[in-house]
Amino acid sequence: MALEVQDALSEIDVEWPSAQELLEPLGWDVADKLVTKGHCLIQCHLGSELNEEAVQQAKQLDGWKRLIEELEPAYLGREAEGKAAWLESDSLETEVSTGLGLIDRTISELAYALEPLATTMFGFGVIGRTDGLLRAPFSSRDEEERIFEEREVLTDEQVLVKGRIEEHLKFVQQRRVAAIYFMKGSNSKVILHTKEEADRTISCQEGQLLV
């Protein structure tokens, strides 16, 4: 089984395995935490150099934006800050070597490990994952102003021609498990809102994956 960390000072639930053949037991451990706790914090071991490489790659990306205001909370949560950019689709059949690619591949491998367990453990089927969505702070006040000026608005054309509402509803209905990898920074706080219980705040560090 994947190693479960018992350190009372840490919220880490599971360590990412050191070998590919251990992805199956990782899936079982993560699924168990999702069922019993509602979330799972995984310690990954990609390394600070790879994380920094990914951060530098992200800075060079085009396509940073803010999502349509009425639809954004479903993707970025409540009271989102900073900017976002979609990554290209990942496939386990292709090789990756870049920092961003390897981080995104980690999420793909997690999805692969959970897929065969979903019906039994969660009561729904899984057929894949969405593309990765990067999130970062604005690099400057000028960038922030520009991105907000260029932000898409929900117009009749967006609704009637481009089908943005139907596309959004499909995403909301199909999403089941979310995963967030923290590339940089420490003591990040994620607030989980639930219908049945009080909000939960999870402290996350660089190199950790929250599911």
Side-chain angles (χ1 to χ4, degrees):
M1 301 291 285
L3 176 64
E4 294 190 10
V5 180
Q6 303 296 329
D7 184 356
L9 299 178
S10 174
E11 293 186 23
I12 296 172
D13 296 303
V14 176
E15 296 270 351
W16 191 267
S18 58
Q20 194 79 10
E21 57 268 22
L22 296 177
L23 283 177
E24 181 178 347
L26 170 76
W28 281 105
D29 287 343
V30 173
D32 177 68
K33 296 300 180 183
L34 293 179
V35 170
T36 57
K37 294 181 58 177
H39 70 273
C40 181
L41 187 60
I42 306 172
Q43 180 64 59
C44 300
H45 300 285
L46 295 173
S48 58
E49 290 187 5
L50 186 141
N51 288 330
E52 181 59 30
E53 177 188 335
V55 169
Q56 297 306 317
Q57 286 179 298
K59 291 179 179 179
Q60 305 303 317
L61 288 179
D62 296 323
W64 287 105
K65 61 182 179 179
R66 286 297 294 257
L67 307 182
I68 294 174
E69 185 175 6
E70 293 86 348
L71 311 183
E72 188 177 71
Y75 299 86
L76 299 180
R78 304 176 187 176
E79 301 178 1
E81 298 180 353
K83 57 188 179 180
W86 289 102
L87 294 176
E88 295 182 2
S89 299
D90 181 47
S91 170
L92 293 175
E93 297 177 358
T94 62
E95 293 187 7
V96 291
S97 58
T98 66
L100 270 181
L102 289 168
I103 289 172
D104 199 37
R105 177 56 53 85
T106 297
I107 297 176
S108 295
E109 290 176 342
L110 174 65
Y112 173 79
L114 291 175
E115 184 172 336
L117 313 177
T119 302
T120 301
M121 297 291 288
F122 309 138
F124 56 80
V126 174
I127 57 174
R129 53 158 293 197
T130 61
D131 295 341
L133 182 62
L134 282 175
R135 187 170 174 179
F138 295 110
S139 61
S140 67
R141 182 66 178 177
D142 288 342
E143 182 190 46
E144 180 178 0
E145 292 177 353
R146 175 181 59 79
I147 285 179
F148 272 103
E149 287 175 359
E150 297 173 351
R151 188 182 204 176
E152 286 185 287
V153 295
L154 197 60
T155 62
D156 288 344
E157 180 184 4
Q158 292 276 8
V159 175
L160 300 175
V161 179
K162 297 185 178 180
R164 296 304 294 273
I165 295 299
E166 288 80 1
E167 179 184 273
H168 175 69
L169 290 176
K170 181 180 180 181
F171 168 77
V172 171
Q173 292 168 353
Q174 291 183 341
R175 66 179 182 178
R176 289 295 183 269
V177 179
I180 308 173
Y181 182 89
F182 294 84
M183 294 195 304
K184 189 175 179 65
S186 59
N187 296 321
S188 299
K189 305 292 184 182
V190 176
I191 301 175
L192 302 180
H193 305 286
T194 65
K195 296 180 180 179
E196 296 81 12
E197 305 174 2
D199 292 349
R200 283 176 285 172
T201 300
I202 311 298
S203 298
C204 303
Q205 310 290 330
E206 178 181 319
Q208 293 179 346
L209 178 62
L210 177 63
V211 186

